[in-house]
Amino acid sequence: MSVRTATASAAVAALLGGCALLPAAQAQAAGAKDGPVVFAHRGASAYAPENTLAAVDAADRLGIDWVENDVQLTKDGVLVVVHDTTLGRTTDAEQVFPSRAPWAVKDFTAAEIAKLDAGSWFGAAYAGARVPTLTQYLHRVERNRQKLLLEIKSPETYPGIEKETLRILREEGWLDRGHVKHRLIVQSFGAESVKAVHDRRPDVVTGFLGTPAVADLPSYAAFTDQINPSYTTIGADYVAAVQKLKGPHGKPLQVNTWTVNDAANAAKVAGFGVDGIITNNPDIVRDATR
Ligand code: G3P
Ligand code: CA
């Protein structure tokens, strides 16, 4: 049993026994190492509007290095950071552009999207927050010295999005050795999209979002370094089956699971031996797994 697994198992045992989670000091005294890497999902999206610069800063204030985001293309080919393929849930697009149903991201220019309020739906304190372009987003992550788990969202909707994503990453200095080695992962639910990124830039760390059958994992290992499944679909056996394989960089495949927002499930998946946990509540997950 690894140190990480042992620590997480202790946390699970404590939870099951109705006790408090293993305190950090106690874990350290026991010689425990760090738990799974914590990724702030859409930024620290429990505390600030998802995928905004405020959510990046909220993660930073919590001391969280890694932020996850979602990237899509506007009508005029600009990469913007937004989760849904339509703008209605997280912006005021329906009020600002009432005749533009269904308010698809791909039907709006970057200038139009820049006018939208992406914060008021979350809380009045965030009124006026914008949908960032990927460039703006990268500047903020860089300013905070954070790291990026970038998701290419709905790649089938946006032919060429991989090439444009890599172009912007390169332009902003995110494909230099330091970023590629330590500060960037590109993931997608689209296997073809992950492959396209890997083919264009084999040095970039990639992740496939989903839970492929164990028998199919070797074919994924040819182009992805990570298998990133929903936490509801995995157990310790699946995690071990993934980690047994080596990815395109000759290292064991990793597992980052999502979206775990409570202490009990965080401790549970840490006990499965996952490498990372993607969460809206990074503070809760960190405290539950250390
Ligand atoms: O990073 C994992 C997670 O973001 C995948 O789901 O729908 O939140 O993008 P979704
Ligand atoms: Ca995502």
Side-chain angles (χ1 to χ4, degrees):
M1 186 185 281
S2 70
V3 174
R4 177 181 299 174
T5 308
T7 307
S9 299
V12 173
L15 268 178
L16 293 175
C19 307
L21 288 168
L22 194 68
Q26 197 183 328
Q28 275 169 15
K33 277 189 170 169
D34 290 346
V37 174
V38 178
F39 296 85
H41 182 238
R42 310 180 195 172
S45 57
Y47 306 111
E50 63 182 59
N51 279 327
T52 62
L53 301 184
V56 175
D57 289 346
D60 186 46
R61 278 196 299 277
L62 293 169
I64 300 298
D65 288 343
W66 281 97
V67 291
E68 188 263 4
N69 73 1
D70 304 281
V71 169
Q72 302 186 53
L73 272 175
T74 63
K75 186 177 178 182
D76 51 343
V78 177
L79 286 160
V80 289
V81 179
V82 60
H83 178 269
D84 299 1
T85 53
T86 53
L87 295 159
R89 181 177 64 86
T90 58
T91 77
D92 58 353
E94 295 178 16
Q95 287 75 54
V96 178
F97 300 104
S99 64
R100 302 277 294 276
W103 299 281
V105 173
K106 68 177 174 52
D107 295 335
F108 285 77
T109 65
E112 288 171 336
I113 289 177
K115 290 182 185 145
L116 301 176
D117 178 344
S120 290
W121 71 274
F122 187 88
Y126 295 98
R130 300 295 166 197
V131 173
T133 62
L134 177 60
T135 300
Q136 292 166 338
Y137 194 95
L138 291 172
H139 289 174
R140 184 58 61 96
V141 176
E142 186 68 52
R143 188 197 76 175
N144 294 347
R145 302 299 299 165
Q146 290 166 292
K147 307 173 187 186
L148 179 60
L149 172 56
L150 182 158
E151 181 184 341
I152 297 179
K153 181 57 78 187
S154 194
E156 62 285 358
T157 309
Y158 307 107
I161 189 170
E162 298 83 9
K163 185 176 176 191
E164 182 60 11
T165 300
L166 290 170
R167 189 184 75 75
I168 294 291
L169 286 168
R170 187 175 58 245
E171 188 172 281
E172 296 304 326
W174 276 74
L175 293 186
D176 67 11
R177 194 173 153 76
H179 286 81
V180 163
K181 233 174 152 16
H182 304 292
R183 295 178 58 192
L184 177 70
I185 304 162
V186 178
Q187 66 173 357
S188 182
F189 283 102
E192 289 306 318
S193 188
V194 179
K195 252 189 227 163
V197 170
H198 176 69
D199 289 347
R200 284 183 174 277
R201 283 294 300 230
D203 54 335
V204 169
V205 176
T206 53
F208 173 71
L209 282 162
T211 316
V214 169
D216 295 334
L217 288 172
S219 62
Y220 285 83
F223 62 88
T224 191
D225 300 278
Q226 302 180 349
I227 298 291
N228 296 340
S230 163
Y231 81 95
T232 59
T233 65
I234 60 169
D237 287 355
Y238 187 79
V239 173
V242 174
Q243 292 170 338
K244 214 161 61 186
L245 297 170
K246 286 195 173 153
H249 295 105
K251 295 182 182 161
L253 287 188
Q254 295 192 322
V255 177
N256 297 320
T257 192
W258 45 274
T259 304
V260 180
N261 295 329
D262 66 282
N265 279 307
K268 185 171 157 188
V269 298
F272 293 162
V274 300
D275 298 281
I277 301 177
I278 302 167
T279 171
N280 300 345
N281 300 80
D283 50 340
I284 291 173
V285 168
R286 178 182 55 199
D287 293 349
T289 55
R290 274 147 181 82

